[in-house]
Amino acid sequence: MESMIFDLATTPLRELNQFLHHEAKTGAVEKVVVLNPDGAHNIAVGLDCPVEVEVKGHAGYYAGGMNKTGSVIIRGSAGTGVAENMMSGKVHVKGFASNGAGASAHGGLLVIDGDAGLRCGISLKGGDIVVGGSVGSFSAFMAQAGRMVICGDAGDALGDSLYEAVIYVRGKIKSLGADTHIEPMSEDDLAAVADLLAQAGMEHAPSEFKRIASKRELYHWNADANQEY
Amino acid sequence: MCGIVGLLVKSPPLRARLGELMVPMLIGMTERGSDSAGLAVFTPPLPVGERKISVYSGLTEAGADFNWQGLAHDLKSHLGTTVTVDVRGNHAILTTSFDPEAIKRWIKEHHSKLQFLSTGRSIDLYKDIGTPAEVAARYDFASLKGSHLVGHTRMATESAVTPERAHPFTAGEDFCLVHNGSLSNPHGIRRMLEPHGITFETDNDTEAACRFLEWRLREGDDLEVALQKGFEELDGFYTFLMGTPDELALIRDPFACKPALVAETDDYVAIASEFRSLAHLPDIKNAHVFEPAPEEMYVWKA
Amino acid sequence: METKPEQLKHISREESAGYDHKTQDYIRNAAAHGLYEIRGLGAKRKLPNFDDLVFLGASLSRYPLEGYREKCVTKTLLGTRFAKKPIELEIPITIAGMSFGSLSAHVKESLGRAASELGTSTTTGDGGMTQEERLSSKTLVYQCLPSRYGFNPDDVRRADAIEVVIGQGAKPGGGGMLLGQKVSSRVAKMRALPEGIDQRSACRHPDWTGPDDLAIKIHELREMTDWEKPIYVKVGATRTFHDVKLAVHAGADVIVVDGMQGGTAATQTCFIEHVGIPTLAALRQAVEALEDLNMKGTVQLIVSGGIRTGADVAKALAMGADAVAIGQGVLVALGCNSESYIQNGQHLSAEKDYAALGTAPGFCHHCHTGKCPVGITTQDAILEQRLQPEIGAKRLRNYLKTLNMELTTIARACGKQNVHHLEREDLVALTVEAAAMARLPLAGTDWVPGMAGY
């Protein structure tokens, strides 16, 4: 079917979300367009079906939060926690994203065309994030699993306390976080970066990226090792 | 916690609409802070030698019915000076060419429940308890004119909800500060400043930050140097927005957990904790919207 | 001839109060290991607590109710402020959040079964929701913690309430911890961690900081669940008066306050004993905050941290809580620190296993090792068998039943037809500290320290 339009200037957010949680699941609508978001928070949170949501403007906090199988595109910027805890599906921010983008995401793909704020990918648990611009400090803090591709620069303390998530950075890194280091790019890494960039619609040579991974020295308490805690 | 708003209009025609543009910004921050609200507006400065003092009568018995004309009359007969009075709600701006400290001393002795909110040649400051919409209506914020302003909505964290504890806080003359966040060492800062002769009016953590800057500025630091020292001495989470007669300044702590957003066009610079407060501004769709980086000082000249 | 001086048979044993045995052991341990001590359970030191309060039962000035024949209502409603589907409990005694990971799957099932039988709720803990718990527990509160381990929208949709955890009494300001020996394959998978590592959780939420942003996060959870489920906010007791007010402003339906006696499966001892305030003081502050905002009755209060007996429950309610949550007491009911366990119908001694940990039944706090001698706080497949869900469920059911019976006995004795009618005027204090903390008069006097200027 065609698309359904919700104008947040006149319709309460609750109606949009309820529609997305219930009526949209029947498959009657393929696409939902959201007009005049004007920085409203919690747009399209908890999507639970493969519906397309197009947000025409700037979104507030947690846009597309806890997304499962849905596909959200934001034609503007996104506030704190865009696609936080996403399980699967896709969220695409055409503008910039604020802090905590993709926080704790377990799966799916988050694409940010512009820059991302601090703590991008914090606590990542298996999702993929591709940032066309640069990311702020403390990005990938305690990231446990998943992949991040940063086409621009990274701020301070990148990947501090990293677990098994892997970060690929093309630009400059202001500083690495505790227990991270740069490792050589393997064939698998190059292929992974190529695939993620293609999914994000960005063009860069994978060979320009560096691989950042955990040194795994903080995995166990060790008094003699002078660990940073 | 809180919401912060700031607005600086670059084109003269918009100066007449400063208040009108700002009121929806302030009300947009109601969910972040609904206990109290306040703002400081900067107007073209009075001639050298003149001062205006913003005074709050909300704590007096008469409240909004305070006899300001009577006060002006008394000042004339006791200090020999003519003071003009401009009243809105339970607030008045007293303009004088007399020594403002002498005026304040006299008023303190005779009307101890009047509160001084600000002193300067350019600043007018309003703050009160109530929701942002209530406070805006009480003082007719929509009619305010000027080049720039700093506004705040409060959700009290540790100190009580009283008019004095609302923001903005001022230090010295023509300087004010609003704060979103929570300082973790305000009491230590206070104890460090009191021996330097800095007096505190409240137990609010924001006042500690404001008085710290007041001290550094008094000691000869310019604002940028003072704020650098602030990064070292002040602990906790904060976004600070400050106003002086010719500039707005914004900084965020290194963790930058408290939000801030800036929208800039040829006509204005607008700052708010959330985009929601900027959405109604003219030509916002074409504005350059960005997030200020942590630990950097952003200054816009009026 | 010279006489030899008499040999003194007296051995001097002058103990130092400051450098007592415990402190000397602590220093020697630090010198040996270079790492803080980590242990389980809650504060072990003596603190002002509910034992320092007593009830003023009925006599001539008040009339009691007959036990058994005259009813005493214990039904409790939680989450009435905004949720379309508030939680209805049969008793005001709930099971506190304890993770799968810190506890075995068998235990989670026992908790669920017993809670369902008694008509109360269990809470997931810092590790996500297990199938065992959701299937066995009729009412399940799903925690959203800084770590977000295992947190996912499907479980949010399956939960009956969501509890945003800011902190817990054992370690306010600290994050969770699970040592490598307990990060089994199943636990690791649920938490998206490598197997066997020492897990350290974050202490701040990843996508919000402060009550103003918590308000938006709570909104997100409401929008997610179409405003159906109550949202709880849990804090470890520190600046409780301010925290409760802020939780109300941020939009909480229910506030959970966990005092310093609250337990954990693993954290630094210095945290447990030296950070946070006693439940008694926190509870009073929480109630004051709600009354100050005129929210008593609109926002419900659950208190936890050292709730052990029916008398504790009654006192907590009298002081103004709507319900309590129990963690350590529940574990002891299941067999924690018991000398023996039951396997294949036989009582077997666990003393050797306690000894292997360097402790003895009644003194053990080694939950963090994963070698629980009675099979409770372990992921070990063999040790886990020492507590079968049926036995655990039965023990817990009995414990909760007893607590509830004691609660109603006391309430009736104070003349109440409903346990929620217990009030602070039914209580007096036995010590000055308790009187000051609870703002109750010292028994037999009108004196409340700190009030009326003295």
Side-chain angles (χ1 to χ4, degrees):
Chain A
M1 196 251 233
E2 353 72 53
S3 21
M4 181 83 177
I5 299 179
F6 281 85
D7 183 349
L8 292 184
T10 50
T11 312
L13 176 76
R14 223 171 286 194
E15 276 181 40
L16 164 67
N17 282 331
Q18 273 182 344
F19 180 89
L20 290 168
H21 297 154
H22 302 286
E23 282 88 327
K25 277 178 114 156
T26 63
V29 198
E30 268 168 22
K31 184 168 172 181
V32 172
V33 177
V34 181
L35 300 178
N36 295 314
D38 287 349
H41 304 305
N42 305 318
I43 297 175
V45 293
L47 287 180
D48 195 18
C49 64
V51 66
E52 240 187 87
V53 181
E54 184 182 356
V55 180
K56 292 198 157 178
H58 300 290
Y61 286 38
Y62 311 131
M66 289 187 263
N67 179 27
K68 194 180 171 202
T69 71
S71 177
V72 182
I73 182 160
I74 299 164
R75 298 196 186 281
S77 68
T80 296
V82 61
E84 68 89 18
N85 222 111
M86 172 164 58
M87 305 304 290
S88 60
K90 184 176 176 188
V91 176
H92 191 153
V93 182
K94 301 299 280 171
F96 67 84
S98 182
N99 294 350
S104 199
H106 289 250
L109 175 65
L110 169 64
V111 178
I112 300 162
D113 288 352
D115 294 335
L118 290 93
R119 292 178 283 277
C120 181
I122 180 176
S123 203
L124 194 62
K125 291 181 170 60
D128 290 326
I129 303 177
V130 180
V131 182
S134 301
V135 300
S137 299
F138 307 110
S139 286
F141 176 67
M142 295 184 90
Q144 300 169 215
R147 303 166 298 178
M148 265 177 72
V149 175
I150 301 160
C151 300
D153 304 326
D156 275 315
L158 178 67
D160 192 295
S161 302
L162 200 56
Y163 286 91
E164 295 296 298
V166 178
I167 313 167
Y168 302 103
V169 183
R170 185 169 158 266
K172 294 188 288 290
I173 301 168
K174 193 147 179 246
S175 67
L176 287 173
D179 209 28
T180 34
H181 63 178
I182 299 177
E183 293 176 351
M185 293 278 282
S186 69
E187 289 301 316
D188 286 340
D189 289 313
L190 293 170
V193 173
D195 173 51
L196 287 168
L197 287 173
Q199 284 188 56
M202 295 175 192
E203 276 182 36
H204 293 292
S207 54
E208 292 174 2
F209 289 78
K210 293 177 278 295
R211 173 189 157 101
I212 287 93
S214 175
K215 281 193 273 185
R216 300 192 178 128
E217 286 169 5
L218 292 181
Y219 275 20
H220 299 278
W221 304 101
N222 185 346
D224 296 320
N226 233 0
Q227 293 169 321
E228 293 169 53
Y229 272 110
Chain B
M1 240 174 255
C2 310
I4 288 182
V5 298
L7 186 60
L8 186 151
V9 289
K10 302 180 192 172
S11 59
L14 275 184
R15 291 186 181 178
R17 292 181 60 202
L18 186 71
E20 179 205 317
L21 290 171
M22 178 277 302
V23 170
M25 289 174 76
L26 199 66
I27 294 178
M29 292 287 88
T30 302
E31 274 171 31
R32 294 192 79 84
S34 53
D35 299 332
S36 350
L39 63 77
V41 59
F42 291 87
T43 63
L46 295 172
V48 175
E50 281 186 42
R51 293 292 193 298
K52 43 184 177 162
I53 307 168
S54 284
V55 191
Y56 174 76
S57 64
L59 295 175
T60 65
E61 264 189 62
D65 296 324
F66 186 81
N67 186 1
W68 297 104
Q69 290 307 329
L71 177 72
H73 181 263
D74 288 342
L75 285 169
K76 175 91 187 163
S77 43
H78 291 249
L79 298 179
T81 178
T82 308
V83 169
T84 55
V85 172
D86 181 8
V87 183
R88 287 177 189 232
N90 47 22
H91 180 281
I93 300 171
L94 309 177
T95 309
T96 177
S97 50
F98 204 69
D99 171 19
E101 297 311 307
I103 298 213
K104 287 199 269 188
R105 267 193 307 272
W106 188 93
I107 293 179
K108 245 204 189 104
E109 269 177 66
H110 296 86
H111 298 277
S112 60
K113 293 233 168 86
L114 285 179
Q115 296 260 312
F116 302 112
L117 298 183
S118 67
T119 309
R121 290 166 53 213
S122 181
I123 189 175
D124 293 322
L125 200 148
Y126 303 82
K127 61 184 187 180
D128 209 344
I129 50 178
T131 66
E134 285 165 358
V135 176
R138 193 175 303 149
Y139 302 110
D140 194 18
F141 279 172
S143 69
L144 290 175
K145 300 178 191 359
S147 53
H148 54 292
L149 59 77
V150 168
H152 184 269
T153 63
R154 184 173 186 235
M155 183 195 289
T157 50
E158 286 180 31
S159 54
V161 178
T162 65
E164 329 74 271
R165 289 181 178 88
H167 307 199
F169 280 87
T170 51
E173 289 191 7
D174 279 324
F175 175 80
C176 73
L177 172 88
V178 296
H179 171 211
N180 177 206
S182 181
L183 293 177
S184 62
N185 66 342
H187 303 288
I189 295 286
R190 208 193 155 98
R191 280 190 286 275
M192 185 264 289
L193 292 174
E194 277 167 346
H196 290 282
I198 309 270
T199 47
F200 281 74
E201 284 160 18
T202 72
D203 53 1
N204 187 304
D205 64 330
T206 305
E207 192 186 356
C210 192
R211 300 270 169 242
F212 175 84
L213 294 172
E214 172 185 342
W215 172 53
R216 291 319 315 157
L217 294 171
R218 194 185 77 178
E219 297 296 301
D221 290 349
D222 65 21
L223 189 57
E224 189 161 345
V225 173
L227 286 169
Q228 255 317 113
K229 298 209 172 120
F231 280 129
E232 287 153 43
E233 303 272 346
L234 302 172
D235 205 349
F237 291 20
Y238 49 87
T239 296
F240 287 137
L241 182 62
M242 292 146 286
T244 69
D246 39 44
E247 54 191 18
L248 276 186
L250 173 77
I251 57 163
R252 298 172 82 184
D253 73 82
F255 292 106
C257 284
K258 302 317 297 177
L261 216 57
V262 181
E264 215 168 334
T265 69
D266 289 334
D267 293 327
Y268 62 79
V269 177
I271 300 136
S273 301
E274 296 174 23
F275 184 80
R276 279 195 293 182
S277 277
L278 306 173
H280 68 285
L281 289 170
D283 205 27
I284 189 68
K285 285 193 174 16
N286 295 321
H288 169 49
V289 180
F290 66 95
E291 285 198 330
E295 265 188 300
E296 263 185 54
M297 217 175 115
Y298 291 77
V299 181
W300 295 277
K301 296 246 177 257
Chain C
M1 195 172 49
E2 272 180 45
T3 40
K4 271 165 82 178
E6 259 185 56
Q7 295 280 48
L8 288 164
K9 294 211 167 77
H10 167 71
I11 306 283
S12 164
R13 284 203 164 89
E14 183 182 351
E15 187 144 13
S16 162
Y19 291 87
D20 60 0
H21 281 204
K22 197 161 146 241
T23 304
Q24 289 188 31
D25 279 344
Y26 154 79
I27 296 176
R28 282 185 211 111
N29 267 324
H33 302 298
L35 185 63
Y36 31 58
E37 183 193 54
I38 292 168
R39 68 160 173 88
L41 301 188
K44 286 190 157 183
R45 55 145 119 186
K46 189 152 161 50
L47 294 165
N49 69 1
F50 288 119
D51 286 343
D52 298 316
L53 305 181
V54 286
F55 277 100
L56 301 176
S59 54
L60 206 50
S61 50
R62 289 276 176 107
Y63 318 126
L65 259 52
E66 293 290 355
Y68 313 118
R69 273 181 287 151
E70 286 166 7
K71 72 170 168 59
C72 185
V73 175
T74 57
K75 260 191 164 45
T76 304
L77 208 55
L78 298 172
T80 54
R81 190 181 184 193
F82 291 126
K84 287 190 203 153
K85 299 185 180 165
I87 303 276
E88 281 183 39
L89 300 177
E90 295 298 320
I91 60 173
I93 306 164
T94 69
I95 315 286
M98 293 180 281
S99 72
F100 164 67
S102 67
L103 303 179
S104 75
H106 280 184
V107 171
K108 278 306 225 173
E109 192 188 326
S110 307
L111 300 182
R113 284 207 211 176
S116 299
E117 266 197 68
L118 269 280
T120 187
S121 64
T122 63
T123 311
T124 51
D126 191 1
M129 188 188 285
T130 62
Q131 195 70 334
E132 288 91 336
E133 194 172 5
R134 178 65 280 191
L135 291 176
S136 62
S137 183
K138 186 168 146 280
T139 305
L140 184 54
V141 180
Y142 185 43
Q143 286 187 324
C144 176
L145 298 107
S147 70
R148 302 289 165 90
Y149 290 133
F151 193 76
N152 73 74
D154 291 323
D155 289 338
V156 171
R157 285 183 273 263
R158 298 200 291 167
D160 297 294
I162 299 150
E163 183 170 289
V164 180
V165 177
I166 296 162
Q168 63 180 106
K171 47 188 145 177
M177 189 186 287
L178 195 67
L179 297 182
Q181 53 267 28
K182 294 175 86 169
V183 184
S184 64
S185 144
R186 185 180 174 193
V187 170
K189 195 148 178 282
M190 274 186 82
R191 301 188 187 199
L193 289 171
E195 218 180 301
I197 59 145
D198 293 326
Q199 168 224 301
R200 18 175 187 128
S201 303
C203 64
R204 281 201 317 270
H205 281 260
D207 56 359
W208 66 267
T209 309
D212 41 6
D213 291 323
L214 172 59
I216 305 175
K217 186 67 186 173
I218 289 180
H219 238 221
E220 184 199 11
L221 295 167
R222 289 201 200 282
E223 282 296 318
M224 234 301 263
T225 55
D226 300 322
W227 291 69
E228 286 181 353
K229 304 176 202 282
I231 311 286
Y232 297 19
V233 171
K234 177 172 177 178
V235 287
T238 56
R239 297 184 175 81
T240 309
F241 182 71
H242 297 301
D243 287 341
V244 169
K245 282 198 164 182
L246 289 169
V248 171
H249 287 311
D253 291 301
V254 177
I255 301 175
V256 183
V257 172
D258 192 23
M260 76 180 283
Q261 294 99 310
T264 173
T267 200
Q268 299 90 327
T269 306
C270 60
F271 238 131
I272 299 174
E273 298 292 352
H274 300 284
V275 185
I277 65 172
T279 305
L280 192 65
L283 174 51
R284 190 212 87 231
Q285 284 200 353
V287 174
E288 257 173 39
L290 289 177
E291 289 177 345
D292 219 48
L293 291 176
N294 214 8
M295 280 288 173
K296 192 89 186 51
T298 307
V299 173
Q300 283 83 36
L301 177 66
I302 298 179
V303 79
S304 61
I307 308 288
R308 310 149 298 169
T309 63
D312 285 347
V313 180
K315 291 168 188 173
L317 261 54
M319 280 185 66
D322 294 283
V324 302
I326 304 185
Q328 289 170 97
V330 162
L331 296 187
V332 176
L334 291 174
C336 164
N337 268 297
S338 177
E339 299 172 331
S340 64
Y341 58 95
I342 296 176
Q343 202 153 20
N344 298 323
Q346 284 196 300
H347 278 268
L348 299 167
S349 169
E351 302 234 19
K352 271 212 208 93
D353 300 291
Y354 283 105
L357 291 174
T359 184
F363 300 98
C364 180
H365 55 224
H366 295 276
C367 324
H368 59 292
T369 62
K371 297 202 176 89
C372 178
V374 290
I376 296 175
T377 59
T378 182
Q379 294 303 314
D380 183 292
I382 295 173
L383 288 175
E384 201 184 31
Q385 300 308 317
R386 295 185 180 187
L387 180 67
Q388 292 302 318
E390 304 78 46
I391 294 177
K394 180 156 173 246
R395 287 178 177 166
L396 182 53
R397 188 203 323 135
N398 285 344
Y399 175 54
L400 294 174
K401 246 179 95 184
T402 307
L403 295 180
N404 195 51
M405 284 171 69
E406 289 180 341
L407 167 65
T408 53
T409 299
I410 291 174
R412 287 192 180 97
C414 293
K416 319 288 178 179
Q417 294 177 55
N418 185 321
V419 297
H420 296 291
H421 293 173
L422 283 164
E423 50 189 14
R424 62 181 76 111
E425 287 78 6
D426 295 318
L427 291 169
V428 290
L430 299 175
T431 66
V432 175
E433 287 90 348
M437 283 185 188
R439 283 250 176 96
L440 293 170
L442 204 52
T445 76
D446 286 331
W447 183 39
V448 181
M451 306 290 277
Y454 62 95

